[in-house]
Amino acid sequence: DIQMTQSPSSLSASVGDRVTITCRASQNINNFLNWYQQKPGKAPKVLIYGASSLQSGVPSRFSGGGSGTDFTLTINSLQPEDFATYYCQQSSSPPLTFGGGTKVEI
Amino acid sequence: QVQLVQSGAEVKKPGASVKVSCKVSADTFTNYYIHWVRQAPGQGLEWMGIINPSGGTTTYAQKYQGRVTMTSDTSTSTVYMELSSLRSEDTAEYYCARSLGYCSGGHCYGTVHFDHWGQGTLVTVSS
């Protein structure tokens, strides 16, 4: 199975900050990497797919980068509604696997 | 309108089985694949498997092989996930989610990201 490692596991930030979350795959997954946002009591919501493609309806302050084994999710100018937990997920081969999550707190 | 509507919360005893349903819109049933993802309380996300609703073919995560069965009912556009031999560690929120791409035979094809999710079904396993 492909292991996905996210860092940090949590971070504190302020409104307006630029935040970067990293995700590392245990083997080359090309650009088969997706990012999700989850708020308490809610289902996850996809932000980025294919490593860098912005899902329709997602604000442009979210961006994704990387390929191979190392990936990033960047949130420019953090907004109050962005405080949530973020997960990466590889879709290179089954079983599909998720990172452990990054909680973005005030 | 895209809809994935799941059945309600369940409480089961250890050793029992649970069957969770996910009713989807007709377009989703015909053109998308449905996955099941679970999340234990306070924990991360875990993929359980995928089903092609219209054809019924499935791929399960090895961890659940022999315990999970995913089926579909074309007459009601509903997908089901049944998990047997329940134990306390199976207490979790269970989600259905759809993707355009699919995974089979050790490979994934197309973009396999979950663009719509059900609202979740809490399954509690307790004696």
Side-chain angles (χ1 to χ4, degrees), chain B residues 18-55:
Chain B
V18 68
K19 193 169 186 176
V20 180
S21 67
C22 175
K23 183 170 174 61
V24 306
S25 54
D27 171 65
T28 293
F29 196 87
T30 303
N31 298 311
Y32 289 79
Y33 297 83
I34 299 296
H35 304 252
W36 289 90
V37 176
R38 79 176 193 179
Q39 186 171 38
Q43 302 300 307
L45 300 163
E46 185 176 26
W47 182 78
M48 300 178 69
I50 178 177
I51 182 170
N52 175 357
S54 53

Side-chain angles (χ1 to χ4, degrees), chain B residues 6 18 23 46 70 75 77 88 100 104 106 120 127:
Chain B
Q6 298 183 224
V18 68
K23 183 170 174 61
E46 185 176 26
M70 296 177 189
S75 67
S77 298
S88 58
L100 262 179
S104 177
S127 54

Side-chain angles (χ1 to χ4, degrees), chain A residues 35-72:
Chain A
W35 289 98
Y36 299 85
Q37 175 194 68
Q38 187 179 32
K39 297 182 178 179
K42 298 292 187 183
K45 168 188 169 184
V46 65
L47 303 173
I48 302 285
Y49 63 93
S52 60
S53 296
L54 190 69
Q55 176 71 10
S56 175
V58 173
S60 58
R61 62 180 179 273
F62 291 93
S63 63
S67 67
T69 60
D70 294 307
F71 302 86
T72 58

Side-chain angles (χ1 to χ4, degrees), chain A:
Chain A
D1 298 2
I2 299 173
Q3 308 302 317
M4 306 301 295
T5 304
Q6 275 183 248
S7 61
S9 56
S10 66
L11 65 91
S12 295
S14 300
V15 173
D17 283 354
R18 184 180 192 224
V19 166
T20 298
I21 299 167
T22 65
C23 180
R24 174 165 287 176
S26 60
Q27 63 189 71
N28 183 4
I29 59 169
N30 295 301
N31 67 336
F32 296 110
L33 191 283
N34 310 310
W35 289 98
Y36 299 85
Q37 175 194 68
Q38 187 179 32
K39 297 182 178 179
K42 298 292 187 183
K45 168 188 169 184
V46 65
L47 303 173
I48 302 285
Y49 63 93
S52 60
S53 296
L54 190 69
Q55 176 71 10
S56 175
V58 173
S60 58
R61 62 180 179 273
F62 291 93
S63 63
S67 67
T69 60
D70 294 307
F71 302 86
T72 58
L73 172 70
T74 299
I75 312 172
N76 283 303
S77 189
L78 199 66
Q79 297 300 298
E81 60 268 29
D82 301 336
F83 292 95
T85 301
Y86 294 84
Y87 294 94
C88 61
Q89 173 240 328
Q90 65 84 15
S91 57
S92 173
S93 62
L96 306 182
T97 47
F98 293 85
T102 297
K103 188 173 185 179
V104 177
E105 302 174 293
I106 300 173

